[in-house]
Amino acid sequence: MEGVLLIHKPAGMTSHDCVAKMRRIAKTKKVGHTGTLDPDVTGVLPVCLGRATKIVEYLTAESKTYEAEVTIGISTETEDASGEIVEKKAVIETITDEMALDALSSLTGEIDQVPPMYSAVKIGGKKLYEYARAGQTIERPSRKITVHEMTLLSSVQSGGETASFRFKVSCSKGTYVRTLAVMIGEHLGYPAHMSHLVRTGSGSFTIDQCHTFEEIEKVAEENRLQELLIPIGTALNHLPKLSINDTLAKKVKNGTLLEVPAGLNPGAESIAVYGEDGTCLAIYRQHPEKPHFLKPSKVLAID
């Protein structure tokens, strides 16, 4: 059994919980997810089974799409609704849709973002949330992220001393949407936190393709789980493609170098190599010392 399974992650489970559950359902240890989601967050969680665990890094690197809600006027220690309140500032003025759009626009493109203390980013050999749980706040270097697009999904709603609105964001790997919510608040002059989040897309995978655990367990009981799995070659459709003949395919299985064919951009970071039957055999990249050749990054084919 091998391929990529698109899980509609429920609230209350960590990504690791989902992997552990799939190991039990599929009766295999070879399971890995392609991008952590916080326990409160729902949505698209691609999980790789069997030989597909070899392509986890290529799916994790893909951009993600989210639908989120930001609440203005309150900040929390975790930057989301699960954390303790650390600051309040009553929203007395009217925050207009135009002001919200301006805040979203200011955060579009390549920006610097500081990872939140409650995150799995490692500094000094420890995860940031380990420092946070010990009551420590440490200096975190900012890092470049790319926000491809931000869209306002609702008008600004005011209630009591807070305001809120929903937005859609398409962003690079490593982006913390809850930190974007805090940054939106900073732009508007208020503390803020992310009050809701759903991942609606991961690379080319969308939420309407995903399966609940109830659906997955039912299919597994009927011994039809393989029917839900996306083949490795299909899952790598976002990479440049190179098709080769069967004679060359045998050499690819042994890690041979390949000449860069005419029309292929050798500068592409990763190139998926397929056999005549459409099976993805390996992932190659340009040779660092021999620019007219490709060298294997990962051999996927098995005899």
Side-chain angles (χ1 to χ4, degrees):
M1 186 176 297
E2 64 179 44
V4 179
L5 179 63
L6 303 182
I7 296 175
H8 193 307
K9 190 188 93 62
M13 292 182 73
T14 66
S15 299
H16 181 74
D17 291 338
C18 293
V19 167
K21 186 163 186 171
M22 278 311 308
R23 283 176 177 152
R24 292 193 296 272
I25 293 172
K27 299 180 175 62
T28 177
K29 292 182 179 180
K30 296 187 73 174
V31 180
H33 69 76
T34 64
T36 302
L37 284 178
D38 292 336
D40 291 343
V41 181
T42 63
V44 183
L45 182 66
V47 171
C48 296
L49 280 75
R51 194 166 57 100
T53 52
K54 291 186 175 184
I55 67 167
V56 163
E57 64 190 275
Y58 301 99
L59 302 184
T60 304
E62 284 289 272
S63 294
K64 310 294 190 294
T65 304
Y66 300 88
E67 290 185 7
E69 179 185 69
V70 57
T71 294
I72 312 295
I74 298 173
S75 63
T76 70
E77 62 178 359
T78 57
E79 301 185 350
D80 60 17
S82 68
E84 293 185 14
I85 294 173
V86 294
E87 186 183 358
K88 285 185 176 182
K89 180 181 176 182
V91 181
I92 300 172
E93 66 174 312
T94 299
I95 296 179
T96 65
D97 291 356
E98 287 71 25
M99 294 167 68
L101 284 167
D102 184 60
L104 298 182
S105 177
S106 72
L107 295 172
T108 302
E110 187 178 74
I111 62 173
D112 292 313
Q113 188 181 68
V114 178
M117 279 302 303
Y118 280 88
S119 66
V121 174
K122 277 191 174 183
I123 293 181
K126 289 173 63 176
K127 294 178 180 178
L128 284 175
Y129 67 73
E130 294 177 302
Y131 292 107
R133 289 171 181 170
Q136 299 175 271
T137 300
I138 66 169
E139 196 73 27
R140 291 102 67 202
S142 65
R143 53 187 185 180
K144 296 286 185 186
I145 61 163
T146 302
V147 176
H148 304 296
E149 184 178 16
M150 292 186 88
T151 309
L152 186 64
L153 294 179
S154 73
S155 293
V156 180
Q157 306 294 316
S158 297
E161 297 183 335
T162 64
S164 64
F165 60 86
R166 294 187 302 110
F167 64 94
K168 180 178 179 180
V169 56
S170 174
C171 51
S172 63
K173 168 195 171 186
T175 300
Y176 285 92
V177 181
R178 50 195 160 106
T179 303
L180 286 179
V182 172
M183 297 168 79
I184 288 170
E186 290 171 349
H187 183 86
L188 295 169
Y190 290 93
H193 71 278
M194 182 189 74
S195 42
H196 186 68
L197 184 66
V198 179
R199 183 193 278 167
T200 58
S202 179
S204 62
F205 305 134
T206 59
I207 198 165
D208 58 356
Q209 296 175 278
C210 294
H211 308 281
T212 65
F213 273 117
E214 290 74 18
E215 294 169 337
I216 294 166
E217 287 174 319
K218 184 176 183 297
V219 171
E221 287 171 3
E222 298 169 354
N223 294 317
R224 297 188 298 109
L225 186 56
Q226 184 67 46
E227 295 176 15
L228 299 185
L229 303 187
I230 297 170
I232 292 172
T234 304
L236 293 174
N237 271 344
H238 61 284
L239 298 181
K241 183 175 182 179
L242 173 61
S243 296
I244 59 175
N245 60 44
D246 286 343
T247 301
L248 204 51
K250 292 177 182 178
K251 296 180 180 178
V252 163
K253 292 177 183 179
N254 294 318
T256 189
L257 298 184
L258 295 175
E259 287 189 51
V260 177
L264 184 73
N265 173 21
E269 190 169 332
S270 299
I271 297 163
V273 178
Y274 294 79
E276 289 182 350
D277 63 354
T279 300
C280 187
L281 304 172
I283 298 171
Y284 273 64
R285 65 185 307 166
Q286 187 173 25
H287 197 292
E289 284 98 35
K290 303 174 182 178
H292 298 298
F293 285 89
L294 304 173
K295 64 174 291 187
S297 300
K298 186 106 39 175
V299 175
L300 306 174
I302 53 176
D303 290 322

PDB file of all heavy atoms in Angstrom, residues 32-45:
ATOM      1  N   GLY A  32       3.744   9.383   7.123  1.00  0.00           N
ATOM      2  CA  GLY A  32       4.290  10.693   7.475  1.00  0.00           C
ATOM      3  C   GLY A  32       3.404  11.806   6.937  1.00  0.00           C
ATOM      4  O   GLY A  32       2.814  11.667   5.866  1.00  0.00           O
ATOM      5  N   HIS A  33       3.284  12.912   7.689  1.00  0.00           N
ATOM      6  CA  HIS A  33       2.456  14.032   7.215  1.00  0.00           C
ATOM      7  C   HIS A  33       3.323  15.079   6.520  1.00  0.00           C
ATOM      8  O   HIS A  33       4.549  15.061   6.620  1.00  0.00           O
ATOM      9  CB  HIS A  33       1.653  14.649   8.368  1.00  0.00           C
ATOM     10  CG  HIS A  33       2.485  15.388   9.386  1.00  0.00           C
ATOM     11  ND1 HIS A  33       3.008  16.637   9.157  1.00  0.00           N
ATOM     12  CD2 HIS A  33       2.871  15.049  10.647  1.00  0.00           C
ATOM     13  CE1 HIS A  33       3.677  17.052  10.214  1.00  0.00           C
ATOM     14  NE2 HIS A  33       3.623  16.095  11.135  1.00  0.00           N
ATOM     15  N   THR A  34       2.671  16.003   5.836  1.00  0.00           N
ATOM     16  CA  THR A  34       3.411  16.948   4.975  1.00  0.00           C
ATOM     17  C   THR A  34       3.235  18.404   5.387  1.00  0.00           C
ATOM     18  O   THR A  34       3.298  19.296   4.559  1.00  0.00           O
ATOM     19  CB  THR A  34       2.952  16.793   3.517  1.00  0.00           C
ATOM     20  OG1 THR A  34       1.567  17.154   3.433  1.00  0.00           O
ATOM     21  CG2 THR A  34       3.132  15.376   3.026  1.00  0.00           C
ATOM     22  N   GLY A  35       3.024  18.647   6.663  1.00  0.00           N
ATOM     23  CA  GLY A  35       2.885  20.030   7.112  1.00  0.00           C
ATOM     24  C   GLY A  35       2.045  20.115   8.370  1.00  0.00           C
ATOM     25  O   GLY A  35       0.859  19.811   8.351  1.00  0.00           O
ATOM     26  N   THR A  36       2.663  20.516   9.479  1.00  0.00           N
ATOM     27  CA  THR A  36       1.995  20.518  10.781  1.00  0.00           C
ATOM     28  C   THR A  36       0.815  21.481  10.832  1.00  0.00           C
ATOM     29  O   THR A  36       0.884  22.608  10.334  1.00  0.00           O
ATOM     30  CB  THR A  36       3.003  20.904  11.881  1.00  0.00           C
ATOM     31  OG1 THR A  36       4.095  19.976  11.853  1.00  0.00           O
ATOM     32  CG2 THR A  36       2.368  20.872  13.251  1.00  0.00           C
ATOM     33  N   LEU A  37      -0.272  21.005  11.444  1.00  0.00           N
ATOM     34  CA  LEU A  37      -1.421  21.850  11.765  1.00  0.00           C
ATOM     35  C   LEU A  37      -1.613  21.829  13.278  1.00  0.00           C
ATOM     36  O   LEU A  37      -1.561  20.765  13.901  1.00  0.00           O
ATOM     37  CB  LEU A  37      -2.701  21.343  11.087  1.00  0.00           C
ATOM     38  CG  LEU A  37      -2.869  21.606   9.588  1.00  0.00           C
ATOM     39  CD1 LEU A  37      -4.166  20.980   9.092  1.00  0.00           C
ATOM     40  CD2 LEU A  37      -2.860  23.092   9.288  1.00  0.00           C
ATOM     41  N   ASP A  38      -1.851  22.993  13.893  1.00  0.00           N
ATOM     42  CA  ASP A  38      -2.115  23.059  15.328  1.00  0.00           C
ATOM     43  C   ASP A  38      -3.389  22.288  15.653  1.00  0.00           C
ATOM     44  O   ASP A  38      -4.270  22.137  14.794  1.00  0.00           O
ATOM     45  CB  ASP A  38      -2.264  24.515  15.769  1.00  0.00           C
ATOM     46  CG  ASP A  38      -0.958  25.292  15.680  1.00  0.00           C
ATOM     47  OD1 ASP A  38       0.108  24.648  15.724  1.00  0.00           O
ATOM     48  OD2 ASP A  38      -1.002  26.524  15.566  1.00  0.00           O
ATOM     49  N   PRO A  39      -3.519  21.810  16.890  1.00  0.00           N
ATOM     50  CA  PRO A  39      -4.688  20.998  17.268  1.00  0.00           C
ATOM     51  C   PRO A  39      -6.038  21.649  16.965  1.00  0.00           C
ATOM     52  O   PRO A  39      -6.974  20.958  16.534  1.00  0.00           O
ATOM     53  CB  PRO A  39      -4.496  20.802  18.776  1.00  0.00           C
ATOM     54  CG  PRO A  39      -3.021  20.869  18.971  1.00  0.00           C
ATOM     55  CD  PRO A  39      -2.529  21.883  17.979  1.00  0.00           C
ATOM     56  N   ASP A  40      -6.164  22.959  17.179  1.00  0.00           N
ATOM     57  CA  ASP A  40      -7.448  23.633  16.958  1.00  0.00           C
ATOM     58  C   ASP A  40      -7.768  23.853  15.484  1.00  0.00           C
ATOM     59  O   ASP A  40      -8.900  24.194  15.138  1.00  0.00           O
ATOM     60  CB  ASP A  40      -7.474  24.993  17.674  1.00  0.00           C
ATOM     61  CG  ASP A  40      -7.502  24.838  19.187  1.00  0.00           C
ATOM     62  OD1 ASP A  40      -7.815  23.728  19.659  1.00  0.00           O
ATOM     63  OD2 ASP A  40      -7.200  25.822  19.888  1.00  0.00           O
ATOM     64  N   VAL A  41      -6.782  23.688  14.625  1.00  0.00           N
ATOM     65  CA  VAL A  41      -6.953  23.978  13.200  1.00  0.00           C
ATOM     66  C   VAL A  41      -7.467  22.741  12.466  1.00  0.00           C
ATOM     67  O   VAL A  41      -7.026  21.625  12.721  1.00  0.00           O
ATOM     68  CB  VAL A  41      -5.624  24.453  12.578  1.00  0.00           C
ATOM     69  CG1 VAL A  41      -5.812  24.775  11.095  1.00  0.00           C
ATOM     70  CG2 VAL A  41      -5.089  25.674  13.322  1.00  0.00           C
ATOM     71  N   THR A  42      -8.407  22.953  11.551  1.00  0.00           N
ATOM     72  CA  THR A  42      -8.946  21.860  10.750  1.00  0.00           C
ATOM     73  C   THR A  42      -8.508  22.029   9.300  1.00  0.00           C
ATOM     74  O   THR A  42      -7.939  23.048   8.924  1.00  0.00           O
ATOM     75  CB  THR A  42     -10.486  21.841  10.824  1.00  0.00           C
ATOM     76  OG1 THR A  42     -10.996  23.056  10.258  1.00  0.00           O
ATOM     77  CG2 THR A  42     -10.967  21.732  12.258  1.00  0.00           C
ATOM     78  N   GLY A  43      -8.801  21.011   8.479  1.00  0.00           N
ATOM     79  CA  GLY A  43      -8.571  21.156   7.046  1.00  0.00           C
ATOM     80  C   GLY A  43      -7.609  20.167   6.438  1.00  0.00           C
ATOM     81  O   GLY A  43      -7.413  19.057   6.950  1.00  0.00           O
ATOM     82  N   VAL A  44      -6.982  20.580   5.336  1.00  0.00           N
ATOM     83  CA  VAL A  44      -6.200  19.689   4.475  1.00  0.00           C
ATOM     84  C   VAL A  44      -4.900  19.234   5.145  1.00  0.00           C
ATOM     85  O   VAL A  44      -4.042  20.049   5.478  1.00  0.00           O
ATOM     86  CB  VAL A  44      -5.848  20.383   3.144  1.00  0.00           C
ATOM     87  CG1 VAL A  44      -5.100  19.413   2.229  1.00  0.00           C
ATOM     88  CG2 VAL A  44      -7.093  20.922   2.460  1.00  0.00           C
ATOM     89  N   LEU A  45      -4.788  17.921   5.333  1.00  0.00           N
ATOM     90  CA  LEU A  45      -3.546  17.339   5.856  1.00  0.00           C
ATOM     91  C   LEU A  45      -3.160  16.154   4.974  1.00  0.00           C
ATOM     92  O   LEU A  45      -3.666  15.042   5.157  1.00  0.00           O
ATOM     93  CB  LEU A  45      -3.713  16.883   7.305  1.00  0.00           C
ATOM     94  CG  LEU A  45      -2.439  16.307   7.952  1.00  0.00           C
ATOM     95  CD1 LEU A  45      -1.374  17.387   8.109  1.00  0.00           C
ATOM     96  CD2 LEU A  45      -2.754  15.665   9.302  1.00  0.00           C
TER      97      LEU A  45
END
